[in-house]
Amino acid sequence: MLFIGLTMLGYISYKQLPVELMPNAELPMLYVNVQSRLEVDPTYMENQAVIPIEGAIGTMEGIEDMESSINNRSASIQVNFKQNVNFKYTFLKLQEKIDLIASNLDDNFTVSVNRVNTDQSSNQFMELQIRGSGGVDRVRNIVDQEVTEHMENIDGIASVSVFGGKERSIEVTYDANACEAYGITPAEIRSAIAGNSTNRTFTGYVHDAQRQYFVHVTAEYDKVSDIENIVVADGPIYLKDVADVFFGVKEKTSISRVNGMEAVSMMLVNDSQANLIDLSHKVKEEITVLNEKLAAKDLEIVVQSNSAETMEENINQIIQLALVGGFLAIFVLWMFLKNLRIVSFIALAIPISVFTAFNLFYAFDISLNSLTLVGLVLAIGMLLDNSVVVLENIYRLSGNGMKADQAVTQGTKEVWRSIVAATLTTVTVFLPFVFSNDYMVKLLGNHIGVSIISTLLVSLFVALLLIPMAAHLLLRKKRKHNVFYEKVTTDNRIIQIYILLLKTAMRKPANTVIGALVFFFITVFAVLAISVTNLQEVEETQFPIYVTMPTGATLDATDKVVADVESRLEDIAEKQDLSSNIQAEEAILTLTLRDDYKDIDNRTIADIKKDVQDRVRNISQGEVDLEAPLSGG
């Protein structure tokens, strides 16, 4: 009952674990960037912006140190946190501190909080293309009204960005003569409108089950009449008395293209704690429902790219390898034991150990990723050893005439010290990585180490508790003939080779131990290297290209640079689609390769990437790179 309960609880933990291709290495540091619209003296920037912000940041707990750099247009404050800080809510806490202090700064300054992690680019996990008749502006209007809100309401979606077309807006055109007559300035009108609508206001905290949640309230205008009836001066004088309020379109702030043709695209950003595979399925279900509704308006939502699909393929590939390895291990046992019932009970150690280990994954906040699954694959090959040793010793005593109860108890007592020592020896190999002070070593140690350590420790308890119970059940129904106790002769060639190797190992024990350890580590690192390399090749059948423009660059300037990049990549033979999402100062291009790209020019992913990098190398107006730049949270 104990193992059944732990296994079922482990399955529930498994369903709750986040799934990612590689572990998210969120570095324990945050950046606060201050931008000035005008050039100012660095001393003024320091006194009016940096010092007040540093004072606000200094009230937070867990800060190790701060480093600031200042020039006449910007300032950057790097905040380094201690290793033991719970970084899950640190970004939000710092954002709240900055929001409070930003209102007291010079209006010329804009402040943002950024963070660095290895999962920045994959946070944009899905790109959608919305296609339809009537032009991109019509498509954009329908998307804003009927699609965006549905996507934002999906649990696990952090934000939704729409590119292309013109976005509808409310425009206010004031009457200069009326304003002059009432003594009202445009600044007062702007202040009145802003004062009656507060976006994302922090209202406090909610505590539940040892967790702390940040509560925001978003107040927006529901209809145009709400804006028209804003009081802008005593009297009362309403906004509609001095201005006209009507629907219009915003100035274009983004451009979307697919293979050079203008389109409307949508970028979905996942929450860092979301299970990407489950989230991908939810989004696809929502897309199916929306497409049924939008069919009457001649609109269709198409998935342009989905990183979760590649992730799911890689995860499934590792799981298949683990299953194949488990079946091979069971087959080898059957070849030696020739008893299906005994092998079946030993085989139970695999699912029980793995699923029970998922409870520890959940407890230590370890995700399912390439490293943890490779660790499980390695552990599966070792976790059967304990069970085999215990079962063999029990059957040896039973073959000497002992009753079932005595054979089980004495057989387990005789070997428990040996298997505990053997298990702890393997555990101690990986344990130092978990307690390393280096952040990246500790990250890798947590994912690989915890997966191997937890699985082996659970397998130890399986061998000492579950296997003896299973052996007792079998011995009560034992047949007279048992393959364990057939007479073994030295006429067998395999036996002769084994005896020769055994004598050599006994004559040189030190060399044997050292050689075994060296061979073990070489095997571990070779498996990791091969697995990561293979996964990387599958992962990058489509890859992003980042365009970063100087501060203050316009949308048109960025568009020209992107158009130059698109023209340079036009004749890549392996290219299937090239989509571009363009904003002022930055853009992301996604190059999708054809399914048969390997058969075209016999080039690898690395060759294609190098070709792309060479083609976009000499663009002077902006910086073009295949690596993601530092971005905000």
Side-chain angles (χ1 to χ4, degrees):
M1 292 301 296
L2 172 66
F3 285 105
I4 290 175
L6 289 175
T7 304
M8 294 179 64
L9 184 61
Y11 178 77
I12 296 174
S13 299
Y14 162 73
K15 299 299 290 184
Q16 300 298 319
L17 292 176
V19 181
E20 52 193 357
L21 189 60
M22 296 297 290
N24 179 17
E26 189 170 36
L27 302 179
M29 63 178 66
L30 294 172
Y31 290 88
V32 179
N33 293 324
V34 183
Q35 297 289 335
S36 175
R37 296 184 182 90
L38 304 174
E39 288 192 4
V40 297
D41 186 88
T43 304
Y44 179 82
M45 173 81 75
E46 179 184 17
N47 293 331
Q48 298 299 319
V50 175
I51 292 178
I53 292 174
E54 287 180 340
I57 296 173
T59 61
M60 294 182 61
E61 296 180 355
I63 294 178
E64 189 170 88
D65 57 61
M66 286 185 285
E67 300 176 11
S68 301
S69 58
I70 307 170
N71 57 44
N72 58 356
R73 290 299 296 267
S74 64
S76 177
I77 304 172
Q78 177 180 324
V79 187
N80 299 314
F81 293 87
K82 297 178 181 177
Q83 295 288 339
N84 59 351
V85 170
N86 184 353
F87 211 63
K88 191 173 184 179
Y89 298 111
T90 303
F91 177 83
L92 293 176
K93 292 179 181 178
L94 180 58
Q95 184 69 63
E96 300 300 339
K97 295 285 186 182
I98 297 304
D99 289 344
L100 291 175
I101 194 65
S103 59
N104 299 325
L105 301 180
D106 189 327
D107 292 340
N108 182 50
F109 296 138
T110 57
V111 188
S112 62
V113 181
N114 303 316
R115 58 184 168 190
V116 182
N117 61 74
T118 60
D119 203 34
Q120 285 176 350
S121 59
S122 61
N123 273 358
Q124 297 180 341
F125 84 103
M126 184 179 291
E127 181 181 356
L128 308 177
Q129 294 290 336
I130 300 91
R131 303 168 183 173
S133 59
V136 292
D137 292 340
R138 172 183 179 270
V139 175
R140 173 63 187 260
N141 288 336
I142 297 176
V143 169
D144 290 338
Q145 294 175 17
E146 303 185 26
V147 178
T148 304
E149 184 177 356
H150 287 279
M151 292 299 175
E152 290 175 338
N153 290 334
I154 297 176
D155 187 23
I157 296 294
S159 66
V160 177
S161 301
V162 182
F163 300 88
K166 294 180 179 179
E167 185 178 0
R168 297 184 67 187
S169 66
I170 301 293
E171 295 195 3
V172 179
T173 304
Y174 69 90
D175 186 331
N177 294 329
C179 289
E180 184 178 354
Y182 288 112
I184 300 172
T185 64
E188 290 174 335
I189 295 177
R190 187 184 307 111
S191 177
I193 296 174
N196 283 271
S197 175
T198 304
N199 291 320
R200 195 172 167 76
T201 301
F202 175 68
T203 59
Y205 304 93
V206 171
H207 299 272
D208 178 36
Q210 299 181 346
R211 290 189 177 185
Q212 177 175 272
Y213 298 91
F214 298 84
V215 180
H216 295 81
V217 173
T218 301
E220 297 178 345
Y221 297 109
D222 293 327
K223 46 187 178 293
V224 174
S225 60
D226 293 339
I227 304 176
E228 292 178 331
N229 293 321
I230 293 174
V231 177
V232 295
D234 296 334
I237 299 173
Y238 298 102
L239 179 61
K240 62 184 178 182
D241 298 329
V242 296
D244 295 325
V245 181
F246 56 90
F247 277 106
V249 292
K250 288 184 180 180
E251 181 182 353
K252 184 179 288 189
T253 58
S254 65
I255 300 173
S256 175
R257 284 197 295 269
V258 178
N259 296 329
M261 302 296 292
E262 192 169 1
V264 175
S265 63
M266 177 178 289
M267 188 72 72
L268 305 182
V269 177
N270 63 283
D271 189 293
S272 60
Q273 302 301 315
N275 184 320
L276 274 191
I277 294 177
D278 289 343
L279 180 59
S280 174
H281 294 164
K282 291 179 183 177
V283 172
K284 289 181 178 179
E285 291 174 1
E286 186 66 28
I287 290 174
T288 301
V289 174
L290 288 173
N291 278 334
E292 292 177 357
K293 295 179 179 179
L294 297 174
K297 297 182 179 181
D298 194 25
L299 253 69
E300 182 185 14
I301 304 174
V302 179
V303 178
Q304 183 74 13
S305 63
N306 182 7
S307 61
E309 288 184 349
T310 303
M311 180 183 303
E312 189 170 12
E313 291 175 3
N314 283 283
I315 297 298
N316 290 337
Q317 182 183 14
I318 297 177
I319 293 175
Q320 290 173 4
L321 292 174
L323 291 175
V324 171
F327 282 123
L328 287 176
I330 295 171
F331 177 74
V332 171
L333 285 176
W334 180 81
M335 290 291 292
F336 283 93
L337 303 181
K338 300 294 185 180
N339 189 315
L340 187 59
R341 290 183 302 165
I342 295 176
V343 173
S344 299
F345 275 106
I346 295 178
L348 283 177
I350 296 178
I352 291 175
S353 300
V354 171
F355 279 103
T356 304
F358 285 144
N359 293 313
L360 297 176
F361 279 39
Y362 185 81
F364 286 95
D365 196 23
I366 301 296
S367 65
L368 285 178
N369 56 66
S370 301
L371 297 181
T372 52
L373 290 176
V374 168
L376 285 175
V377 173
L378 294 175
I380 286 174
M382 297 182 282
L383 63 84
L384 295 179
D385 297 344
N386 295 334
S387 299
V388 172
V389 170
V390 173
L391 192 62
E392 193 279 333
N393 196 52
I394 292 173
Y395 266 77
R396 180 183 62 82
L397 296 177
S398 177
N400 291 334
M402 283 190 182
K403 294 182 179 180
D405 293 347
Q406 187 178 2
V408 169
T409 54
Q410 183 173 333
T412 305
K413 287 180 181 179
E414 289 179 351
V415 298
W416 77 267
R417 291 183 179 86
S418 300
I419 64 174
V420 168
T423 303
L424 293 181
T425 301
T426 306
V427 167
T428 52
V429 171
F430 296 94
L431 203 58
F433 292 95
V434 178
F435 295 99
S436 173
N437 292 326
D438 185 87
Y439 180 79
M440 296 305 296
V441 173
K442 184 176 181 180
L443 176 76
L444 296 175
N446 277 339
H447 286 79
I448 299 178
V450 169
S451 61
I452 294 178
I453 292 172
S454 59
T455 308
L456 289 182
L457 289 179
V458 173
S459 73
L460 177 63
F461 287 98
V462 170
L464 294 178
L465 298 176
L466 183 64
I467 294 301
M469 290 193 310
H472 185 267
L473 179 64
L474 293 176
L475 288 174
R476 287 166 55 186
K477 303 176 182 180
K478 186 182 72 172
R479 300 173 181 177
K480 293 182 180 181
H481 175 72
N482 198 306
V483 295
F484 276 170
Y485 314 110
E486 293 178 351
K487 185 177 180 180
V488 179
T489 66
T490 58
D491 295 336
N492 191 302
R493 187 67 175 172
I494 297 178
I495 298 297
Q496 293 175 352
I497 295 175
Y498 168 71
I499 293 175
L500 177 62
L501 293 175
L502 181 62
K503 289 181 178 179
T504 304
M506 294 178 67
R507 291 192 187 101
K508 300 178 180 180
N511 293 342
T512 302
V513 172
I514 294 174
L517 288 175
V518 171
F519 180 75
F520 172 76
F521 280 109
I522 291 175
T523 304
V524 169
F525 288 117
V527 169
L528 289 176
I530 293 172
S531 300
V532 172
T533 301
N534 289 339
L535 290 173
Q536 193 74 7
E537 290 179 355
V538 177
E539 174 190 11
E540 296 182 346
T541 50
Q542 63 178 28
F543 52 87
I545 303 165
Y546 300 92
V547 177
T548 305
M549 300 291 289
T551 302
T554 63
L555 179 63
D556 290 339
T558 308
D559 184 29
K560 290 180 181 178
V561 174
V562 173
D564 187 10
V565 175
E566 290 173 338
S567 64
R568 297 187 184 200
L569 303 180
E570 177 64 31
D571 59 345
I572 292 181
E574 295 87 351
K575 176 177 69 69
Q576 175 175 304
D577 291 311
L578 180 61
S579 60
S580 306
N581 292 325
I582 310 164
Q583 292 178 298
E585 301 185 8
E586 64 180 5
I588 299 179
L589 293 79
T590 302
L591 180 64
T592 304
L593 303 179
R594 294 170 51 177
D595 294 336
D596 59 346
Y597 74 93
K598 293 181 180 178
D599 302 328
I600 298 174
D601 286 335
N602 197 27
R603 296 199 299 178
T604 64
I605 296 289
D607 295 333
I608 298 173
K609 278 192 166 186
K610 185 178 183 304
D611 183 21
V612 170
Q613 192 72 63
D614 292 338
R615 289 170 180 253
V616 301
R617 191 179 303 278
N618 298 320
I619 295 180
S620 58
Q621 297 90 341
E623 181 180 347
V624 184
D625 201 347
L626 273 63
E627 298 295 330
L630 176 65
S631 61

